[in-house]
Amino acid sequence: MEITGPWTRAAAAAGLLKDGVARPTVFAQMSARAAEHGALNLGQGYPDDAPPQAVTEAAVAAIRRGQNQYPPGAGEAVLREAIAEHQATWYGLRWDPAREVLVSTGATEALAATILALVEPGDEVITLEPFYDQYAAMIALAGGVHRTVPLTTRTDGATGDLVLDVDEAELRAAFSERTRLVLVNTPHNPTGLMLWVGALQAIVEEASRHDALIVTDEVYEHLTFGPAHLPIATLPGAQDRTISISSAGKTFSVTGWKIGWITAREELLTAITGVKQWLTYSSGAPFQPAVAAGLRLPASAFHDLAAELRSRRDLLTDGLREIGFRVSVPEAGYFTVADASPLGEPDADALAERLPSEAGVVAIPLSAFYRDGAAGEASSYLRLAFCKSRSTIEQALEQLDTWAAPRR
Ligand SMILES: Cc1ncc(COP(=O)(O)O)c(C=O)c1O
């Protein structure tokens, strides 16, 4: 019997299946390679750090007091209130916690429910390229048409570093009367780029002109190393057409808890809830009050985490530069992009396959974040995570240095 259905057919058409079954993500493949070779895993973006103590203790206390059954579908009131408070305190955005905030199973479910609720077959959805790989999968499953705006690359004349950016004219040109959604990911995975205000304004203008909705994925909102994150919903005319998505995973080093959230005006949130309730209904009962406690931590707790991460970014980027990679120095997030072509390695897919056995280090080829793996001029780029412990990063640099020595 052929085991298939509309979603598996859409996934197959989008190249998401291999031999009829879900193609493992590159992260799963590379983490398996790390285990196989005992290699240091700078591939998948999960931190080595423990969550803030207050957050851990709140989760333990919730389990002990018996908060272990289904939470309400929209999320525990205490968390919805903390999310609304956080948006008001940090960004001046006002949301009604009872009607305009929805708790989800990570940003992943929030993105899935939003795209499935709002995209009709044939609608166009715009993202940057490279993009977080779930976007392509969800757009395909909804029957949407994925349009991308490629990031531009250049070499900084003074430092020789790689600079990634977005071109405003290309951004504007991606919009048409078929555009339903523009999915904005800032700070951006995989590059750590933060969209500057001019680019955000262009998105709001074009979305308004074409009556499109804006979905913003802000899971790295607190991991910034220079200017603070600017939510697109704060721009004039944006809040009413914007669905803002974030999650606790990165902010509190709890990627396994899968607590995310959406803020949007009631009419949009009702449509999204209509899908979300049939996906997981609800999840993470004891983690919800713990994340509420985290969101109410003083600003210094958020800044301390970002400062620590910034020092590890510097450790990794300085080390990779010395080894001979052309590096980009990200403004936010967990990852840096390193170009291996100066080391005589033009094909990052092949290099990522070999690195676990040759250098004992796992990295992800940037092609994993391009449609059909076609990375063009980024074909020699790797993504490496610096959310790991200092000792792991130092050890990985040492091993990469030994590996690179004959290539310099
Ligand atoms: C850009 C981006 N969006 C969403 C997610 C998923 O978030 P969550 O773990 O909360 O589902 C990730 C995780 O890596 C991400 O990098």
Side-chain angles (χ1 to χ4, degrees):
M1 177 175 70
E2 202 188 347
I3 303 171
T4 184
W7 278 32
T8 41
R9 275 195 294 277
L16 302 171
L17 301 186
K18 188 169 182 265
D19 304 328
V21 294
R23 191 156 42 91
T25 69
V26 69
F27 313 100
Q29 281 170 343
M30 287 299 164
S31 291
R33 306 268 294 150
E36 187 187 331
H37 294 281
L40 299 166
N41 192 350
L42 303 192
Q44 207 169 10
Y46 58 87
D48 282 348
D49 304 275
Q53 207 183 337
V55 173
T56 308
E57 276 167 12
V60 172
I63 291 172
R64 290 230 161 92
R65 71 171 174 265
Q67 203 166 342
N68 299 304
Q69 311 312 326
Y70 299 126
E76 293 288 356
V78 67
L79 178 54
R80 282 183 282 134
E81 278 156 21
I83 292 163
E85 247 173 69
H86 169 273
Q87 293 284 88
T89 311
W90 286 85
Y91 309 125
L93 287 166
R94 306 271 157 202
W95 298 107
D96 175 352
R99 295 177 300 122
E100 296 176 317
V101 179
L102 176 65
V103 176
S104 59
T105 304
T108 305
E109 189 198 32
L111 285 158
T114 300
I115 293 170
L116 292 176
L118 302 177
V119 176
E120 296 273 2
D123 282 349
E124 289 194 2
V125 181
I126 301 171
T127 73
L128 299 175
E129 188 165 20
F131 50 81
Y132 180 56
D133 55 348
Q134 188 203 357
Y135 302 164
M138 292 318 308
I139 295 165
L141 291 179
V145 177
H146 191 181
R147 280 204 65 144
T148 62
V149 179
L151 291 187
T152 59
T153 61
R154 65 182 169 82
T155 302
D156 183 290
T159 60
D161 284 349
L162 174 64
V163 181
L164 297 141
D165 208 346
V166 61
D167 180 77
E168 189 183 320
E170 289 203 46
L171 199 51
R172 288 185 185 275
F175 283 82
S176 74
E177 70 284 0
R178 290 180 301 281
T179 308
R180 173 64 168 162
L181 289 186
V182 51
L183 213 172
V184 183
N185 174 211
T186 181
H188 180 249
N189 178 8
T191 65
L193 175 73
M194 288 171 73
L195 290 189
W196 36 282
V197 64
L200 294 175
Q201 262 158 359
I203 292 170
V204 176
E205 277 171 33
E206 295 300 330
S208 306
R209 200 190 325 274
H210 296 94
D211 199 21
L213 294 167
I214 301 168
V215 178
T216 174
D217 176 347
E218 309 188 332
V219 301
Y220 298 97
E221 63 185 308
H222 285 292
L223 311 184
T224 60
F225 312 136
H229 168 62
L230 177 65
I232 195 167
T234 61
L235 267 60
Q239 187 167 355
D240 260 11
R241 63 174 68 248
T242 300
I243 297 119
S244 303
I245 294 175
S246 192
S247 106
K250 322 286 171 179
T251 301
F252 303 117
S253 307
V254 291
T255 59
W257 287 11
K258 297 297 280 188
I259 302 292
W261 53 85
I262 307 176
T263 48
R265 72 179 154 88
E266 186 175 6
E267 192 191 352
L268 293 172
L269 204 63
T270 303
I272 295 165
T273 305
V275 175
K276 183 259 183 298
Q277 69 188 349
W278 307 119
L279 294 176
T280 60
Y281 180 60
S282 70
S283 61
F287 302 127
Q288 294 199 19
V291 170
L295 288 170
R296 289 180 167 135
L297 284 172
S300 58
F302 296 80
H303 296 147
D304 290 351
L305 172 69
E308 174 55 35
L309 209 52
R310 185 194 158 117
S311 79
R312 293 188 220 168
R313 173 203 68 176
D314 292 344
L315 178 67
L316 182 64
T317 52
D318 290 349
L320 291 172
R321 196 185 293 111
E322 264 171 48
I323 289 168
F325 290 93
R326 183 170 63 130
V327 291
S328 85
V329 181
E331 304 167 280
Y334 273 171
F335 309 105
T336 187
V337 172
D339 176 10
S341 61
L343 293 164
E345 295 283 355
D347 180 351
D349 287 344
L351 178 59
E353 274 297 315
R354 294 186 347 250
L355 269 184
S357 60
E358 290 185 1
V361 173
V362 167
I364 306 285
L366 213 67
S367 63
F369 305 92
Y370 285 78
R371 266 187 304 183
D372 304 321
E377 63 180 337
S379 300
S380 56
Y381 298 0
L382 295 168
R383 190 196 76 171
L384 297 106
F386 49 81
C387 50
K388 308 298 174 182
S389 70
R390 293 188 77 81
S391 61
T392 301
I393 297 171
E394 279 160 2
Q395 184 65 39
L397 286 170
E398 221 175 283
Q399 292 173 203
L400 283 170
D401 191 41
T402 310
W403 167 84
R407 293 170 169 79
R408 284 194 285 260

mmCIF file of all heavy atoms in Angstrom, residues 106-108 111 132 135 185 189 217 219-220 247 250 255 258, ligand 1:
data_model
loop_
_atom_site.group_PDB
_atom_site.id
_atom_site.type_symbol
_atom_site.label_atom_id
_atom_site.label_comp_id
_atom_site.label_asym_id
_atom_site.label_seq_id
_atom_site.Cartn_x
_atom_site.Cartn_y
_atom_site.Cartn_z
ATOM 1 N N GLY A 106 6.860 25.989 21.590
ATOM 2 C CA GLY A 106 8.024 26.567 20.918
ATOM 3 C C GLY A 106 7.593 27.509 19.799
ATOM 4 O O GLY A 106 6.411 27.563 19.427
ATOM 5 N N ALA A 107 8.582 28.243 19.287
ATOM 6 C CA ALA A 107 8.309 29.081 18.120
ATOM 7 C C ALA A 107 7.939 28.195 16.936
ATOM 8 O O ALA A 107 7.218 28.613 16.033
ATOM 9 C CB ALA A 107 9.529 29.936 17.795
ATOM 10 N N THR A 108 8.417 26.959 16.955
ATOM 11 C CA THR A 108 8.145 26.035 15.844
ATOM 12 C C THR A 108 6.642 25.859 15.636
ATOM 13 O O THR A 108 6.143 25.976 14.514
ATOM 14 C CB THR A 108 8.812 24.674 16.124
ATOM 15 O OG1 THR A 108 10.199 24.892 16.374
ATOM 16 C CG2 THR A 108 8.654 23.718 14.961
ATOM 17 N N LEU A 111 4.999 29.125 14.399
ATOM 18 C CA LEU A 111 5.204 29.352 12.963
ATOM 19 C C LEU A 111 4.305 28.429 12.139
ATOM 20 O O LEU A 111 3.680 28.855 11.161
ATOM 21 C CB LEU A 111 6.677 29.094 12.608
ATOM 22 C CG LEU A 111 7.644 30.195 13.053
ATOM 23 C CD1 LEU A 111 9.072 29.660 13.171
ATOM 24 C CD2 LEU A 111 7.587 31.365 12.066
ATOM 25 N N TYR A 132 15.731 30.067 8.002
ATOM 26 C CA TYR A 132 15.546 28.961 8.943
ATOM 27 C C TYR A 132 14.729 27.882 8.229
ATOM 28 O O TYR A 132 13.682 28.177 7.656
ATOM 29 C CB TYR A 132 14.833 29.485 10.191
ATOM 30 C CG TYR A 132 14.580 28.457 11.237
ATOM 31 C CD1 TYR A 132 15.627 27.711 11.773
ATOM 32 C CD2 TYR A 132 13.287 28.211 11.695
ATOM 33 C CE1 TYR A 132 15.390 26.746 12.746
ATOM 34 C CE2 TYR A 132 13.053 27.263 12.664
ATOM 35 C CZ TYR A 132 14.107 26.532 13.183
ATOM 36 O OH TYR A 132 13.865 25.581 14.132
ATOM 37 N N TYR A 135 10.793 27.237 7.601
ATOM 38 C CA TYR A 135 9.915 28.115 6.818
ATOM 39 C C TYR A 135 9.522 27.442 5.495
ATOM 40 O O TYR A 135 8.357 27.448 5.117
ATOM 41 C CB TYR A 135 10.589 29.456 6.494
ATOM 42 C CG TYR A 135 11.046 30.280 7.673
ATOM 43 C CD1 TYR A 135 11.944 31.329 7.506
ATOM 44 C CD2 TYR A 135 10.591 30.037 8.964
ATOM 45 C CE1 TYR A 135 12.367 32.114 8.570
ATOM 46 C CE2 TYR A 135 11.020 30.809 10.044
ATOM 47 C CZ TYR A 135 11.918 31.844 9.835
ATOM 48 O OH TYR A 135 12.352 32.610 10.884
ATOM 49 N N ASN A 185 12.796 37.463 9.844
ATOM 50 C CA ASN A 185 13.523 36.805 10.930
ATOM 51 C C ASN A 185 14.694 37.702 11.320
ATOM 52 O O ASN A 185 15.714 37.734 10.657
ATOM 53 C CB ASN A 185 14.003 35.434 10.448
ATOM 54 C CG ASN A 185 14.897 34.713 11.439
ATOM 55 O OD1 ASN A 185 15.772 33.947 11.046
ATOM 56 N ND2 ASN A 185 14.691 34.944 12.721
ATOM 57 N N ASN A 189 18.690 33.802 11.785
ATOM 58 C CA ASN A 189 19.379 32.517 11.743
ATOM 59 C C ASN A 189 19.397 32.108 10.260
ATOM 60 O O ASN A 189 18.320 32.108 9.653
ATOM 61 C CB ASN A 189 18.601 31.488 12.574
ATOM 62 C CG ASN A 189 19.239 30.116 12.542
ATOM 63 O OD1 ASN A 189 20.327 29.936 12.037
ATOM 64 N ND2 ASN A 189 18.526 29.140 13.076
ATOM 65 N N ASP A 217 9.776 36.488 13.327
ATOM 66 C CA ASP A 217 10.359 35.439 14.175
ATOM 67 C C ASP A 217 11.522 36.080 14.927
ATOM 68 O O ASP A 217 12.549 36.407 14.343
ATOM 69 C CB ASP A 217 10.824 34.298 13.264
ATOM 70 C CG ASP A 217 11.551 33.178 14.016
ATOM 71 O OD1 ASP A 217 11.916 33.379 15.194
ATOM 72 O OD2 ASP A 217 11.770 32.118 13.403
ATOM 73 N N VAL A 219 13.114 34.904 17.894
ATOM 74 C CA VAL A 219 13.557 34.032 18.991
ATOM 75 C C VAL A 219 14.929 34.431 19.558
ATOM 76 O O VAL A 219 15.263 34.072 20.676
ATOM 77 C CB VAL A 219 13.564 32.528 18.606
ATOM 78 C CG1 VAL A 219 12.182 32.063 18.188
ATOM 79 C CG2 VAL A 219 14.584 32.220 17.546
ATOM 80 N N TYR A 220 15.701 35.219 18.786
ATOM 81 C CA TYR A 220 17.021 35.674 19.292
ATOM 82 C C TYR A 220 16.969 37.107 19.821
ATOM 83 O O TYR A 220 18.007 37.771 19.905
ATOM 84 C CB TYR A 220 18.074 35.559 18.179
ATOM 85 C CG TYR A 220 18.277 34.135 17.710
ATOM 86 C CD1 TYR A 220 17.640 33.658 16.580
ATOM 87 C CD2 TYR A 220 19.067 33.252 18.439
ATOM 88 C CE1 TYR A 220 17.791 32.334 16.172
ATOM 89 C CE2 TYR A 220 19.231 31.928 18.042
ATOM 90 C CZ TYR A 220 18.593 31.482 16.905
ATOM 91 O OH TYR A 220 18.742 30.184 16.508
ATOM 92 N N SER A 247 10.223 32.913 21.633
ATOM 93 C CA SER A 247 10.225 31.711 22.462
ATOM 94 C C SER A 247 11.248 31.838 23.571
ATOM 95 O O SER A 247 12.120 32.714 23.556
ATOM 96 C CB SER A 247 10.452 30.481 21.587
ATOM 97 O OG SER A 247 11.733 29.955 21.722
ATOM 98 N N LYS A 250 16.005 30.211 23.567
ATOM 99 C CA LYS A 250 17.329 30.847 23.481
ATOM 100 C C LYS A 250 17.535 31.815 24.641
ATOM 101 O O LYS A 250 18.615 31.882 25.219
ATOM 102 C CB LYS A 250 17.476 31.615 22.153
ATOM 103 C CG LYS A 250 16.839 30.953 20.955
ATOM 104 C CD LYS A 250 17.599 29.769 20.443
ATOM 105 C CE LYS A 250 16.764 29.054 19.392
ATOM 106 N NZ LYS A 250 17.372 27.906 18.803
ATOM 107 N N THR A 255 16.161 25.199 25.392
ATOM 108 C CA THR A 255 15.609 24.856 24.074
ATOM 109 C C THR A 255 14.737 23.598 24.120
ATOM 110 O O THR A 255 13.872 23.413 23.274
ATOM 111 C CB THR A 255 16.724 24.667 23.027
ATOM 112 O OG1 THR A 255 17.602 23.620 23.473
ATOM 113 C CG2 THR A 255 17.529 25.930 22.813
ATOM 114 N N LYS A 258 10.522 23.982 24.917
ATOM 115 C CA LYS A 258 9.572 24.280 23.842
ATOM 116 C C LYS A 258 8.387 25.119 24.325
ATOM 117 O O LYS A 258 7.226 24.743 24.176
ATOM 118 C CB LYS A 258 9.077 22.973 23.201
ATOM 119 C CG LYS A 258 10.169 22.151 22.536
ATOM 120 C CD LYS A 258 10.845 22.837 21.377
ATOM 121 C CE LYS A 258 10.063 22.766 20.099
ATOM 122 N NZ LYS A 258 10.869 23.283 18.956
HETATM 123 C C1 LIG B 1 14.989 31.413 13.630
HETATM 124 C C2 LIG B 1 14.409 30.342 14.479
HETATM 125 N N1 LIG B 1 13.076 30.266 14.605
HETATM 126 C C3 LIG B 1 12.497 29.311 15.356
HETATM 127 C C4 LIG B 1 13.245 28.374 16.027
HETATM 128 C C5 LIG B 1 12.559 27.316 16.829
HETATM 129 O O1 LIG B 1 12.272 27.767 18.099
HETATM 130 P P1 LIG B 1 11.698 26.784 19.218
HETATM 131 O O2 LIG B 1 12.829 25.932 19.674
HETATM 132 O O3 LIG B 1 11.191 27.712 20.270
HETATM 133 O O4 LIG B 1 10.617 25.975 18.614
HETATM 134 C C6 LIG B 1 14.638 28.414 15.936
HETATM 135 C C7 LIG B 1 15.461 27.402 16.622
HETATM 136 O O5 LIG B 1 16.602 27.190 16.317
HETATM 137 C C8 LIG B 1 15.221 29.428 15.137
HETATM 138 O O6 LIG B 1 16.560 29.508 15.005
#
